[in-house]
Amino acid sequence: QVQLVESGGGLVQAGGSLRVSCEVSGGTFGSYGMGWFRQGAGKEREFVAAISASGGSTFLDDSVKGRFTISRDNAKNTMYLQMNNLKAEDTAVYFCAGDPDGSWRRWDDYSFWGQGTQVTVSS
């Protein structure tokens, strides 16, 4: 059974930085494309970023381009999301997801999900 565990969320002031991690166990991490999604209070889950299995290709939503970076370390079975210049509108629960079958941007195309980690940006 594949398990995804997010960590690194917290409270940060606007303009600050935070890195969230997603550790994967029980599967072959290096064969999965991976993604990050977020869901703010009262909002739908939305795509943030995705990365190919090798890490050679990355995809970022326009709302985070230039501020967020997605990366992975296949030796550590871990994916990261480095978030810089955070804004109040980035406040959300951040979820990692694995093994998309179709669009990188569709959350329901992913096979595996973590429980999420809260990121709160104070203005």
Short mmCIF file of all heavy atoms in Angstrom, two decimals, residues 1 7 18 31 39 45 48-49 51 57 67-68 79-81 86-87 96 99 101 103 106 109 111 113 119:
data_model
loop_
_atom_site.label_atom_id
_atom_site.label_comp_id
_atom_site.label_asym_id
_atom_site.label_seq_id
_atom_site.Cartn_x
_atom_site.Cartn_y
_atom_site.Cartn_z
N GLN A 1 0.84 -1.18 0.00
CA GLN A 1 0.00 0.00 0.00
C GLN A 1 0.88 1.25 0.00
O GLN A 1 1.76 1.39 0.83
CB GLN A 1 -0.90 0.01 1.24
CG GLN A 1 -1.86 1.19 1.29
CD GLN A 1 -2.77 1.13 2.51
OE1 GLN A 1 -2.71 0.18 3.30
NE2 GLN A 1 -3.60 2.12 2.67
N SER A 7 4.76 17.07 5.28
CA SER A 7 5.27 17.74 6.48
C SER A 7 5.82 19.10 6.08
O SER A 7 6.02 19.38 4.89
CB SER A 7 6.35 16.90 7.15
OG SER A 7 7.46 16.72 6.28
N LEU A 18 8.70 28.95 2.94
CA LEU A 18 8.40 27.69 3.62
C LEU A 18 8.67 26.56 2.64
O LEU A 18 8.48 26.74 1.42
CB LEU A 18 6.93 27.68 4.04
CG LEU A 18 6.48 26.87 5.25
CD1 LEU A 18 7.20 27.32 6.51
CD2 LEU A 18 4.98 27.00 5.43
N SER A 31 9.17 5.77 -10.06
CA SER A 31 8.39 5.52 -11.27
C SER A 31 7.13 6.38 -11.34
O SER A 31 6.40 6.32 -12.33
CB SER A 31 7.99 4.04 -11.36
OG SER A 31 7.07 3.71 -10.34
N GLN A 39 -5.97 23.40 -1.14
CA GLN A 39 -7.40 23.68 -0.96
C GLN A 39 -7.56 24.68 0.17
O GLN A 39 -7.27 24.36 1.34
CB GLN A 39 -8.18 22.41 -0.67
CG GLN A 39 -9.68 22.60 -0.67
CD GLN A 39 -10.42 21.29 -0.72
OE1 GLN A 39 -9.87 20.21 -0.48
NE2 GLN A 39 -11.71 21.34 -1.07
N ARG A 45 -10.29 22.19 -4.54
CA ARG A 45 -8.88 21.80 -4.60
C ARG A 45 -8.32 22.25 -5.95
O ARG A 45 -8.95 22.07 -6.99
CB ARG A 45 -8.75 20.29 -4.46
CG ARG A 45 -7.35 19.81 -4.19
CD ARG A 45 -7.34 18.34 -3.78
NE ARG A 45 -8.11 18.13 -2.55
CZ ARG A 45 -8.07 17.01 -1.84
NH1 ARG A 45 -7.30 16.01 -2.24
NH2 ARG A 45 -8.80 16.88 -0.75
N VAL A 48 -1.23 23.01 -8.10
CA VAL A 48 -0.14 23.94 -7.80
C VAL A 48 1.07 23.63 -8.68
O VAL A 48 1.58 24.51 -9.37
CB VAL A 48 0.27 23.85 -6.32
CG1 VAL A 48 1.47 24.76 -6.05
CG2 VAL A 48 -0.90 24.22 -5.42
N ALA A 49 1.53 22.37 -8.64
CA ALA A 49 2.75 22.03 -9.36
C ALA A 49 2.80 20.51 -9.55
O ALA A 49 2.15 19.76 -8.82
CB ALA A 49 3.98 22.49 -8.58
N ILE A 51 5.67 17.20 -11.15
CA ILE A 51 7.02 16.85 -11.57
C ILE A 51 7.00 15.44 -12.12
O ILE A 51 6.30 14.56 -11.60
CB ILE A 51 8.00 17.00 -10.39
CG1 ILE A 51 9.45 16.84 -10.84
CG2 ILE A 51 7.65 16.06 -9.24
CD1 ILE A 51 10.45 17.31 -9.79
N SER A 57 11.10 17.07 -15.84
CA SER A 57 10.07 18.01 -16.28
C SER A 57 9.25 18.47 -15.10
O SER A 57 8.88 17.66 -14.25
CB SER A 57 9.14 17.35 -17.30
OG SER A 57 9.85 16.97 -18.46
N ARG A 67 7.66 31.98 -7.90
CA ARG A 67 7.70 31.99 -6.44
C ARG A 67 7.90 30.59 -5.86
O ARG A 67 8.57 30.43 -4.84
CB ARG A 67 6.40 32.57 -5.88
CG ARG A 67 6.11 33.99 -6.33
CD ARG A 67 4.92 34.58 -5.58
NE ARG A 67 3.67 33.85 -5.82
CZ ARG A 67 2.94 33.29 -4.86
NH1 ARG A 67 3.32 33.39 -3.60
NH2 ARG A 67 1.82 32.66 -5.15
N PHE A 68 7.32 29.59 -6.49
CA PHE A 68 7.39 28.21 -5.99
C PHE A 68 8.30 27.37 -6.88
O PHE A 68 8.36 27.58 -8.10
CB PHE A 68 6.01 27.57 -5.97
CG PHE A 68 5.06 28.11 -4.94
CD1 PHE A 68 5.31 29.27 -4.24
CD2 PHE A 68 3.87 27.42 -4.67
CE1 PHE A 68 4.42 29.76 -3.29
CE2 PHE A 68 2.97 27.88 -3.72
CZ PHE A 68 3.24 29.07 -3.05
N MET A 79 9.42 14.26 -2.21
CA MET A 79 9.18 15.39 -3.11
C MET A 79 9.08 16.65 -2.25
O MET A 79 8.65 16.59 -1.09
CB MET A 79 7.87 15.18 -3.87
CG MET A 79 7.45 16.35 -4.74
SD MET A 79 5.91 16.06 -5.63
CE MET A 79 4.71 15.96 -4.31
N TYR A 80 9.45 17.78 -2.83
CA TYR A 80 9.46 19.04 -2.10
C TYR A 80 8.72 20.12 -2.88
O TYR A 80 8.62 20.09 -4.10
CB TYR A 80 10.90 19.52 -1.87
CG TYR A 80 11.79 18.50 -1.22
CD1 TYR A 80 12.64 17.70 -1.98
CD2 TYR A 80 11.80 18.33 0.16
CE1 TYR A 80 13.46 16.76 -1.39
CE2 TYR A 80 12.62 17.39 0.76
CZ TYR A 80 13.44 16.60 -0.02
OH TYR A 80 14.25 15.67 0.58
N LEU A 81 8.24 21.09 -2.10
CA LEU A 81 7.70 22.32 -2.69
C LEU A 81 8.30 23.48 -1.90
O LEU A 81 7.95 23.68 -0.74
CB LEU A 81 6.18 22.34 -2.63
CG LEU A 81 5.51 23.54 -3.32
CD1 LEU A 81 5.72 23.45 -4.84
CD2 LEU A 81 4.03 23.61 -3.00
N LEU A 86 5.67 34.30 -0.10
CA LEU A 86 4.31 33.81 0.14
C LEU A 86 3.33 34.96 0.32
O LEU A 86 3.68 36.03 0.85
CB LEU A 86 4.29 32.90 1.36
CG LEU A 86 4.81 31.49 1.07
CD1 LEU A 86 5.25 30.80 2.37
CD2 LEU A 86 3.75 30.66 0.38
N LYS A 87 2.11 34.71 -0.14
CA LYS A 87 1.05 35.70 -0.06
C LYS A 87 -0.11 35.13 0.76
O LYS A 87 -0.24 33.91 0.91
CB LYS A 87 0.55 36.03 -1.47
CG LYS A 87 1.63 36.53 -2.41
CD LYS A 87 1.08 36.74 -3.81
CE LYS A 87 2.17 37.21 -4.77
NZ LYS A 87 1.64 37.43 -6.14
N CYS A 96 -0.03 16.36 -1.32
CA CYS A 96 0.77 15.76 -2.38
C CYS A 96 0.00 14.57 -2.94
O CYS A 96 -0.84 13.97 -2.26
CB CYS A 96 2.15 15.35 -1.90
SG CYS A 96 2.22 14.05 -0.67
N ASP A 99 1.28 9.46 -9.11
CA ASP A 99 0.91 8.57 -10.20
C ASP A 99 -0.32 9.03 -10.97
O ASP A 99 -1.37 8.37 -10.96
CB ASP A 99 0.69 7.15 -9.66
CG ASP A 99 0.68 6.11 -10.76
OD1 ASP A 99 1.30 6.36 -11.81
OD2 ASP A 99 0.06 5.05 -10.56
N ASP A 101 -2.85 9.55 -13.99
CA ASP A 101 -3.23 8.80 -15.19
C ASP A 101 -4.06 9.74 -16.05
O ASP A 101 -5.27 9.69 -16.07
CB ASP A 101 -4.05 7.57 -14.80
CG ASP A 101 -4.47 6.76 -16.01
OD1 ASP A 101 -3.87 6.96 -17.10
OD2 ASP A 101 -5.40 5.94 -15.89
N SER A 103 -4.24 13.95 -17.02
CA SER A 103 -3.76 15.32 -16.87
C SER A 103 -3.01 15.53 -15.57
O SER A 103 -3.42 15.06 -14.51
CB SER A 103 -4.95 16.29 -16.93
OG SER A 103 -4.54 17.59 -16.57
N ARG A 106 -5.41 17.61 -13.05
CA ARG A 106 -6.66 17.10 -12.51
C ARG A 106 -6.39 16.25 -11.28
O ARG A 106 -5.78 15.18 -11.37
CB ARG A 106 -7.41 16.28 -13.56
CG ARG A 106 -8.02 17.10 -14.68
CD ARG A 106 -8.71 16.18 -15.68
NE ARG A 106 -9.67 15.30 -15.02
CZ ARG A 106 -10.93 15.60 -14.78
NH1 ARG A 106 -11.39 16.80 -15.13
NH2 ARG A 106 -11.75 14.74 -14.19
N ASP A 109 -7.23 12.51 -11.28
CA ASP A 109 -6.46 11.61 -12.13
C ASP A 109 -5.31 10.95 -11.36
O ASP A 109 -4.64 10.08 -11.90
CB ASP A 109 -5.89 12.36 -13.33
CG ASP A 109 -6.90 12.50 -14.48
OD1 ASP A 109 -7.98 11.90 -14.36
OD2 ASP A 109 -6.59 13.19 -15.45
N SER A 111 -3.51 8.63 -8.39
CA SER A 111 -3.87 7.37 -7.72
C SER A 111 -3.69 7.43 -6.21
O SER A 111 -4.39 6.74 -5.48
CB SER A 111 -2.99 6.25 -8.27
OG SER A 111 -3.18 6.09 -9.67
N TRP A 113 -2.85 9.80 -2.50
CA TRP A 113 -2.98 11.11 -1.87
C TRP A 113 -2.46 11.07 -0.45
O TRP A 113 -2.62 10.06 0.25
CB TRP A 113 -4.46 11.54 -1.82
CG TRP A 113 -4.97 12.01 -3.13
CD1 TRP A 113 -5.60 11.29 -4.08
CD2 TRP A 113 -4.86 13.33 -3.64
NE1 TRP A 113 -5.89 12.08 -5.16
CE2 TRP A 113 -5.45 13.34 -4.92
CE3 TRP A 113 -4.31 14.53 -3.15
CZ2 TRP A 113 -5.52 14.48 -5.71
CZ3 TRP A 113 -4.38 15.66 -3.93
CH2 TRP A 113 -4.98 15.63 -5.20
N VAL A 119 -0.77 25.31 5.52
CA VAL A 119 0.11 26.46 5.34
C VAL A 119 -0.73 27.71 5.54
O VAL A 119 -1.75 27.89 4.85
CB VAL A 119 0.76 26.47 3.95
CG1 VAL A 119 1.51 27.78 3.71
CG2 VAL A 119 1.70 25.28 3.79
#
